Amino acid sequence: MKTHPVLRNMKRSRYLYMIFFLPFCYYVLFHYWPIYGIIIAFKDYNIVKGITASPWVGFVHFKKFLIDPYFWKLVRNTLLINVYELFWAFPAPIILALLLNELKSQRLKKFAQSVSYLPHFISTVVVCGMLVNFLTTDGLINQIVAWFGGTPIHFLMKPEWFRTIFISSGIWQSIGWGSIIYLAALTSVDEELYDAANIDGANRWKQLLNITLPGIAPTISIMLILNVGRLMAIGYEKVILLYNGSTYETADVISTYVYRRGLLGSDFSYATAVELFQAVVGLILLITANRLSKKISETGLW
């Protein structure tokens, strides 16, 4: 009996399909199937009646969020943290990758890479625990401040310090891991271009400006588009672990508001509407950034 080519191929690659099966199930169960729950944003969800039996209310929850007294504060805090991250955290892995690329000693390069990767493997809870211990009034940072004659500050109780702490700790945690993709892009730059530049007498700075940066520009553009698409999104875990009532003015963002209204307040429909609003704005930003990038540099996600 003649076997269909597709089945024959599946049988031949059965071990690859077995490896693929578990990630496939994970994404279906935890990423795609929950999308069905978005419809409760347009319903007055009742946990007893369930999703299908709960009554439709249209865009009531979206309108309610737009006139919510917290609306502008949440949007402002979310955007400011993300814009500051885009300004400070986005270039950091690029700079680190360029510096690592300049190291001649392979042993030193591997050591520097390993040290910079380590913070990525520390959980958010542990990082926040370290920050709390370091930044309290009698913590390590204040001991250093006092040693230089300064006045100790309870950093985590000051709203003006929250963004600095959040962004700087994020850079420390992600700079090494983020540099991997740029180091990979640097390997694709043609070595003959550097040889030609050396013959022409170009120093390392001119080579960086005229060969290295243009060589990795498409990768930088793609990563920038993805970051712009996340301008309205911040993970709530780290913010919740670091903020408190005295820092709400600068620390309260859309995702923490969704957490409070949805999980703590059991207002599931309203929280889903806020989350969906955030996702739609992020999608619009992503499409806009992609179009601008294609017009300027002819590089885009699609």
Side-chain angles (χ1 to χ4, degrees):
M1 183 179 173
K2 194 174 180 181
T3 311
H4 194 277
V6 175
L7 294 175
R8 193 164 56 245
N9 181 54
M10 289 181 70
K11 187 178 179 182
R12 188 167 55 244
S13 308
R14 58 186 178 280
Y15 295 115
L16 291 176
Y17 281 105
M18 286 170 68
I19 295 171
F20 171 72
F21 181 71
L22 284 178
F24 175 76
C25 291
Y26 167 78
Y27 278 99
V28 169
L29 288 174
F30 296 105
H31 289 268
Y32 287 98
W33 177 247
I35 292 175
Y36 167 71
I38 284 175
I39 62 172
I40 69 172
F42 305 96
K43 289 190 164 198
D44 189 10
Y45 177 66
N46 185 308
I47 198 167
V48 177
K49 293 179 181 177
I51 294 177
T52 51
S54 297
W56 292 95
V57 293
F59 291 90
V60 167
H61 298 301
F62 295 92
K63 293 175 184 173
K64 191 177 164 187
F65 178 56
L66 292 174
I67 59 171
D68 193 310
Y70 289 101
F71 176 77
W72 287 112
K73 187 179 80 172
L74 296 169
V75 171
R76 183 199 65 194
N77 289 342
T78 306
L79 277 176
L80 278 179
I81 289 177
N82 277 315
V83 168
Y84 290 151
E85 276 199 329
L86 198 64
F87 188 76
W88 293 106
F90 178 73
I94 302 172
I95 295 169
L96 178 64
L98 294 172
L99 291 173
L100 290 172
N101 193 50
E102 292 298 317
L103 289 176
K104 300 299 179 190
S105 169
Q106 288 301 313
R107 185 174 293 181
L108 180 60
K109 186 176 180 180
K110 285 181 181 177
F111 175 75
Q113 283 180 281
S114 301
V115 170
S116 63
Y117 295 164
L118 284 177
H120 172 76
F121 298 100
I122 303 174
S123 76
T124 303
V125 176
V126 174
V127 169
C128 292
M130 292 166 64
L131 288 171
V132 170
N133 284 325
F134 289 161
L135 298 171
T136 51
T137 312
D138 56 350
L140 176 65
I141 303 298
N142 273 316
Q143 287 180 21
I144 295 171
V145 170
W147 191 74
F148 281 101
T151 305
I153 304 168
H154 200 324
F155 293 97
L156 292 174
M157 299 297 285
K158 301 286 184 184
E160 64 270 25
W161 277 98
F162 181 83
R163 291 175 188 141
T164 304
I165 295 166
F166 186 89
I167 293 164
S168 57
S169 60
I171 292 173
W172 171 72
Q173 202 175 0
S174 63
I175 185 171
W177 195 254
S179 68
I180 291 176
I181 192 166
Y182 299 108
L183 286 168
L186 284 167
T187 60
S188 66
V189 180
D190 192 350
E191 286 293 329
E192 290 184 0
L193 294 174
Y194 292 109
D195 296 336
N198 282 326
I199 293 170
D200 291 340
N203 57 28
R204 297 299 296 174
W205 176 249
K206 287 184 178 177
Q207 290 178 26
L208 172 70
L209 293 179
N210 297 303
I211 300 173
T212 309
L213 284 178
I216 62 172
T219 305
I220 295 174
S221 298
I222 296 295
M223 297 307 293
L224 182 62
I225 292 168
L226 292 173
N227 276 273
V228 170
R230 290 196 290 264
L231 272 180
M232 286 292 285
I234 296 176
Y236 66 91
E237 301 94 342
K238 190 175 175 184
V239 179
I240 285 175
L241 290 168
L242 288 178
Y243 81 166
N244 52 66
S246 61
T247 56
Y248 268 19
E249 188 57 32
T250 56
D252 199 16
V253 294
I254 293 176
S255 56
T256 54
Y257 186 64
V258 168
Y259 170 78
R260 287 202 305 277
R261 292 298 295 262
L263 293 180
L264 302 183
S266 301
D267 195 353
F268 300 112
S269 291
Y270 184 71
T272 306
V274 176
E275 188 78 20
L276 184 57
F277 169 82
Q278 183 184 26
V280 170
V281 174
L283 178 64
I284 293 169
L285 288 171
L286 180 69
I287 293 171
T288 307
N290 190 62
R291 286 189 176 179
L292 285 173
S293 177
K294 289 193 82 170
K295 278 188 178 179
I296 297 169
S297 63
E298 297 183 354
T299 302
L301 288 172
W302 61 87

